[in-house]
Amino acid sequence: MEPYATVEQVWAGGLLFARLGAIVMLLPGIGEAYVPARVRLSLALVLALALYPLVGHTLPSLPATMGATLGWVLRELIVGLAIGAILRIFMQALTTAGEIVSLQTTLSFAQTANPMQAAPGSTLSAFLALLGVTLVFATNTHHFFIGAIVGSYELIAPARSLVVGDFTTMAVRTMSQSFLLGVQLAAPVLVFAVVFNLASGLVARVMPAFQVYFAAAPLSVLLGLSIFALSLGVIGTVFISRYQSLVSQFSGGALG
């Protein structure tokens, strides 16, 4: 091995691969279930080789014992999984918005396979999930991922203690912000549903003989989807802006 790389270089590359592999396995778009695991791990290996000159100085030297070696590898795996999980949690904002819109337009029964979750879900939530991944690559937000990975070695350097408390706080805050953003993105349809249902109830009280359901059901779908379509541009713009702000916390901000 010595003619190609020293023991220290192999150790540094393996330690980089442990964190990068865990992050790449959870990144939106790249870490989806339909992307083969070999492709994701190959990308992690290429990133490890490319980023070694930038972050190699932050890595510890090769430990003297096997137990310490395994401890460092497990630590980097945990850090990578935590970062990847935080970046993925925020993508649930679009799924939440899609489920709310589906409920308000009576389309929640229309189930389809969600490629982002490898599980069935409402058609609108699957559509918004695909839209989110498309926006990530269309706006070059995936370039932010590389900056976040490099920045993570400054914020969470292997030589420093593991900030478990900060990670937990950030994960809880990200989850709450994701749910709140999902409700905010679906707000136009929510407001329409409240007004429309109140109007339908008023008509039913004023004209008891009128079959409100048969007139209200198609109107609810048609008008609800029309409002959803009109607000789709704002949904995409607000989401990608908030997502870029989240990713930039790793590249230039602090965990807390």
Side-chain angles (χ1 to χ4, degrees):
M1 188 179 297
E2 289 292 340
Y4 302 98
T6 64
V7 175
E8 287 291 339
Q9 289 174 332
V10 173
W11 158 249
L15 207 59
L16 278 172
F17 180 76
R19 180 183 294 197
L20 294 177
I23 294 176
V24 169
M25 294 294 283
L26 292 175
L27 280 181
I30 302 171
E32 308 301 339
Y34 54 78
V35 179
R38 292 183 180 180
V39 174
R40 288 178 275 176
L41 292 177
S42 299
L43 177 60
L45 180 60
V46 172
L47 286 175
L49 296 175
L51 298 181
Y52 173 75
L54 297 176
V55 300
H57 63 282
T58 65
L59 303 175
S61 57
L62 180 64
T65 63
M66 180 61 69
T69 302
L70 292 176
W72 279 112
V73 173
L74 288 175
R75 181 190 187 280
E76 290 301 289
L77 281 173
I78 293 172
V79 171
L81 290 173
I83 295 174
I86 289 173
L87 295 178
R88 176 165 286 275
I89 285 173
F90 200 78
M91 296 292 292
Q92 296 303 311
L94 292 174
T95 303
T96 302
E99 292 292 343
I100 293 175
V101 173
S102 296
L103 287 171
Q104 300 306 318
T105 55
T106 68
L107 292 177
S108 57
F109 63 87
Q111 299 286 308
T112 186
N114 190 336
M116 304 296 106
Q117 298 178 341
S122 65
T123 303
L124 291 180
S125 64
F127 167 74
L128 286 179
L130 287 171
L131 175 65
V133 174
T134 303
L135 287 173
V136 166
F137 288 96
T139 59
N140 291 327
T141 304
H142 58 290
H143 295 169
F144 285 60
F145 293 153
I146 300 176
I149 291 172
V150 175
S152 71
Y153 280 93
E154 298 294 333
L155 292 173
I156 321 159
R160 299 179 184 176
S161 58
L162 190 59
V163 283
V164 178
D166 288 345
F167 265 127
T168 304
T169 302
M170 188 174 187
V172 173
R173 186 176 63 201
T174 302
M175 185 173 296
S176 63
Q177 291 175 348
S178 172
F179 181 79
L180 177 61
L181 180 61
V183 175
Q184 291 172 341
L185 295 178
V189 179
L190 274 174
V191 173
F192 156 76
V194 171
V195 175
F196 185 82
N197 289 331
L198 287 175
S200 300
L202 182 61
V203 171
R205 295 290 294 177
V206 174
M207 303 174 60
F210 181 68
Q211 298 295 327
V212 176
Y213 175 78
F214 293 101
L219 281 177
S220 175
V221 175
L222 180 61
L223 296 178
L225 289 180
S226 298
I227 294 174
F228 173 69
L230 290 173
S231 62
L232 201 56
V234 177
I235 290 175
T237 303
V238 172
F239 168 76
I240 202 64
S241 176
R242 295 282 296 275
Y243 193 67
Q244 288 177 351
S245 299
L246 172 69
V247 179
S248 65
Q249 292 183 36
F250 290 100
S251 57
L255 277 176

